[in-house]
Amino acid sequence: MKNINIIFLLLSILTMQKNVAQVWVPDNGDGTYTNPIIHADYSDPDAVRVGDDFYMTASSFNCIPGLPILHSKDLVNWTIIGYALTKQIPVETFDKVQHGNGVWAPSITFHNNEFYIYYPDPDFGIYMIKAKKAEGPWSEPILVKACSGLIDPSPLWDDDGKVYLVHAFAGSRAKIKSLIVVCTMNTEGTVANNDEVMVIDGHESEGTIEGPKFYKRNNYYYIFAPAGGVSTGWQTVLRSKNVFGPYEKKKVLEQGKTNINGPHQGAWVQTQTGEDWFIHFQDKGAYGRIVHLQPMKWENDWPVMGQDFDKNGIGEPVTTFKKPNVGKKYPIETPAESDEFNLPKLGLQWQWQANAQINWGFPTSLGYLNLFCLPTIKENNKIFEAPNLLLQKFPAEEFTTTTKLTFNTRLNGESTGLLIMGLDYSYLCLKNDNGKLYLNQKTGTFDKKIVETETSPVLIKNNTIYLRVKIKKGGVCNFFYSLDDKKYEPIGNDFTAKEGKWIGAKIGLFALSEKITNDSGNVAVDWFRITK
């Protein structure tokens, strides 16, 4: 047993040392960084500094585990350290796929030696969870305010002990939108009162204003709020000496002449050395809402973000800039991508499409991931509604994914393969057809309903196979397969990846069956690698 523990420890160390991506590294190694700091779909990011550590979370919608927790020492190099939400409630709802529903824009704060995350479910209300450590364990969600259509909550613990919450509205549920309100909360932050005061109506000049974050500085209350729409908007800041207003406003960050569209919605953080920075997203279509870092300073008690290239008083996003001064230098790290499945736990990059069930699959002590072929979908729903898809985010604009699978099928109609998932999707499907294995490409397009097409199947005489997809700029995907990991044959047609419902396209694995029986075949996934 001691030797086994030593082996697992060494494997853990090796895995940690290799946690640097091949496809996107923002740290230039010369004291500068290049945006985005994370070229992956961490939508609606919020962050907080505690001591010498920075922590970030983001929207996770229907993907589980949810509310990812990322960690950094310098605001440029980030790793995933866990998730705050192991399952979504109510479980009877989120045990099924709920595309675009679930966890919308959260906020993360640190108060009274505890981490707090407030997150909205637009169909149920605003929840709160907390933890002593960012890695967890996190508490069970408490419904702070029950109501359909409430989104984007952010708390503020004031100097006098009073507690407030700011939030916005989802027009699709509340039938009102582009409004931001402030209400009071109890001391524990577990109950948000029904005493809302509207602090801005954005219809006239802000387009859709939402995503507020609440701060206090120099006796001013600040609400940082994105406006103008996800892909085309800007960052607005409101300020007032009174928590309920009236607030004055200023546009502080816009695209300008840069190629960074919609630079907004994120977090103000301050380093130990007193520097100010702003984390925000950019909507990049199939790649999701990727994460950028802007320098920030204060002038006349207004934040100035990015650089004012055209001298119009509004900042624009930077591309390359000097790294934040955090007092020390730290090694280059990136969020997990490849997975050798050598550890007895899944890599933290993986999420399911719904609350995970124990029989979907699990890592083994034998160096592979075991996925079971289960009848989780009805035929007419196609793979789009399969809850047991194991997926991760696109990590860069261009990359190659290769995986080694051994298909131990037992029943006719079982299938497995490599998948690109979005509102449109395409995948390599290895299927048991009357005792023989066939491989083809299946593609689904979404127009009111899913229409699925497939290519002619290729007979595969070996149950161990290597599947590959190359993603080029614009999300163009080309599929390949190999029986020896040396010679790769193209298969199928070009496919252009498309974003999902409020999320970027994802890549991953599946194992399905057409029959309900008391047993199932399995696929042993040896490794899953993302390379240039």
Side-chain angles (χ1 to χ4, degrees):
M1 181 63 72
K2 182 177 181 181
N3 289 335
I4 292 175
N5 289 335
I6 291 172
I7 290 171
F8 281 148
L9 177 61
L10 290 173
L11 286 171
S12 297
I13 293 171
L14 287 171
T15 301
M16 290 173 64
Q17 289 176 338
K18 293 180 180 178
N19 196 25
V20 176
Q22 292 188 27
V23 292
W24 183 257
V25 178
D27 193 324
N28 298 320
D30 60 0
T32 68
Y33 71 94
T34 298
N35 274 315
I37 53 171
I38 305 176
H39 200 303
D41 183 39
Y42 287 95
S43 176
D44 314 317
D46 194 29
V48 64
R49 178 177 66 86
V50 180
D52 293 332
D53 298 279
F54 299 91
Y55 300 96
M56 184 194 303
T57 191
S59 301
S60 50
F61 299 97
N62 59 292
C63 305
I64 287 295
L67 287 171
I69 305 296
L70 294 94
H71 170 261
S72 178
K73 283 287 190 179
D74 61 7
L75 289 173
V76 171
N77 294 281
W78 291 89
T79 58
I80 314 169
I81 62 171
Y83 291 85
L85 201 61
T86 57
K87 64 180 179 180
Q88 291 208 60
I89 58 171
V91 292
E92 58 270 20
T93 297
F94 290 102
D95 282 353
K96 300 177 182 178
V97 180
Q98 302 287 335
H99 290 289
N101 299 334
V103 177
W104 286 23
S107 62
I108 183 169
T109 54
F110 189 73
H111 169 70
N112 199 23
N113 293 317
E114 287 186 299
F115 291 91
Y116 287 76
I117 292 179
Y118 285 79
Y119 74 88
D121 182 316
D123 295 306
F124 296 98
I126 293 170
Y127 293 93
M128 182 273 284
I129 56 176
K130 62 180 182 177
K132 294 288 187 182
K133 296 181 179 180
E135 299 89 340
W138 287 81
S139 64
E140 292 296 316
I142 295 173
L143 188 57
V144 173
K145 195 165 194 172
C147 184
S148 176
L150 307 186
I151 59 171
D152 308 343
S154 178
L156 178 70
W157 281 269
D158 209 346
D159 307 326
D160 58 5
K162 293 181 180 180
V163 189
Y164 304 95
L165 187 75
V166 64
H167 68 79
F169 296 89
S172 58
R173 277 80 164 179
K175 310 307 177 189
I176 58 174
K177 70 171 195 174
S178 201
L179 308 170
I180 292 177
V181 300
V182 174
C183 66
T184 64
M185 288 202 291
N186 65 345
T187 305
E188 295 76 22
T190 57
V191 176
N193 299 313
N194 294 321
D195 56 3
E196 299 88 350
V197 175
M198 187 182 74
V199 295
I200 185 171
D201 181 341
H203 286 85
E204 184 175 337
S205 59
E206 298 297 323
T208 298
I209 192 164
E210 54 190 357
K213 299 291 171 54
F214 223 165
Y215 306 108
K216 191 176 184 181
R217 176 186 180 274
N218 284 358
N219 294 318
Y220 276 106
Y221 296 93
Y222 290 92
I223 298 174
F224 286 33
V230 170
S231 60
T232 57
W234 57 87
Q235 185 69 31
T236 293
V237 169
L238 315 176
R239 77 174 186 185
S240 175
K241 288 290 184 74
N242 187 309
V243 70
F244 292 111
Y247 281 81
E248 51 186 332
K249 67 178 183 178
K250 184 176 183 181
K251 182 187 291 188
V252 298
L253 184 68
E254 65 181 1
Q255 178 175 353
K257 295 182 179 180
T258 74
N259 61 358
I260 308 303
N261 59 294
H264 63 191
Q265 186 146 348
W268 164 37
V269 288
Q270 190 174 68
T271 69
Q272 311 90 305
T273 60
E275 290 183 351
D276 296 290
W277 296 83
F278 184 66
I279 295 171
H280 67 91
F281 71 67
Q282 172 199 7
D283 186 344
K284 202 169 178 178
Y287 298 96
R289 302 178 195 182
I290 62 178
V291 186
H292 289 244
L293 178 68
Q294 302 301 330
M296 178 175 144
K297 58 185 179 179
W298 293 88
E299 292 181 0
N300 301 318
D301 286 319
W302 285 107
V304 179
M305 299 174 181
Q307 290 189 310
D308 186 4
F309 296 112
D310 57 8
K311 306 301 180 184
N312 69 343
I314 304 171
E316 297 176 16
V318 301
T319 300
T320 298
F321 204 78
K322 184 178 179 181
K323 288 177 60 179
N325 178 11
V326 292
K328 295 181 182 179
K329 292 183 178 180
Y330 292 96
I332 294 176
E333 292 183 299
T334 54
E337 298 167 358
S338 298
D339 201 336
E340 296 296 314
F341 303 115
N342 287 331
L343 297 177
K345 59 181 179 180
L346 269 177
L348 292 172
Q349 64 269 43
W350 297 107
Q351 294 172 293
W352 303 96
Q353 279 214 125
N355 285 334
Q357 307 301 319
I358 193 170
N359 62 335
W360 289 354
F362 26 73
T364 71
S365 58
L366 304 174
Y368 62 88
L369 169 69
N370 216 11
L371 297 177
F372 296 98
C373 300
L374 300 175
T376 58
I377 55 173
K378 297 178 182 178
E379 184 179 352
N380 60 346
N381 280 338
K382 313 301 183 187
I383 202 169
F384 187 74
E385 295 297 339
N388 57 329
L389 304 183
L390 186 62
L391 306 171
Q392 62 170 285
K393 307 171 191 300
F394 275 25
E397 191 168 47
E398 296 186 284
F399 63 98
T400 297
T401 295
T402 309
T403 186
K404 180 184 178 183
L405 311 174
T406 298
F407 190 22
N408 303 306
T409 179
R410 291 186 174 87
L411 302 171
N412 185 48
E414 291 179 330
S415 61
T416 186
L418 178 64
L419 170 73
I420 301 289
M421 174 54 65
L423 288 176
D424 291 350
Y425 60 83
S426 190
Y427 61 101
L428 292 184
C429 179
L430 184 64
K431 186 174 182 179
N432 177 349
D433 188 350
N434 293 315
K436 293 183 178 180
L437 297 181
Y438 291 92
L439 181 71
N440 70 348
Q441 178 197 32
K442 294 188 177 183
T443 300
T445 55
F446 193 88
D447 184 11
K448 295 184 180 178
K449 67 176 183 177
I450 298 169
V451 177
E452 194 170 278
T453 60
E454 59 182 293
T455 62
S456 298
V458 176
L459 178 65
I460 302 295
K461 295 183 178 181
N462 192 338
N463 72 328
T464 294
I465 192 170
Y466 301 83
L467 303 180
R468 172 174 289 176
V469 59
K470 290 186 177 181
I471 290 85
K472 297 179 289 189
K473 286 185 179 180
V476 178
C477 306
N478 301 110
F479 291 91
F480 305 83
Y481 74 97
S482 174
L483 299 181
D484 59 8
D485 198 25
K486 295 177 182 178
K487 182 182 179 181
Y488 279 84
E489 299 286 347
I491 184 170
N493 306 308
D494 287 2
F495 169 73
T496 301
K498 188 175 180 180
E499 66 273 12
K501 187 67 178 293
W502 305 127
I503 65 176
K506 303 187 84 170
I507 185 168
L509 304 159
F510 69 92
L512 297 171
S513 177
E514 297 173 354
K515 297 180 179 179
I516 298 175
T517 70
N518 65 350
D519 198 6
S520 69
N522 72 282
V523 55
V525 188
D526 194 347
W527 44 258
F528 188 99
R529 296 171 182 166
I530 291 180
T531 57
K532 290 184 178 179

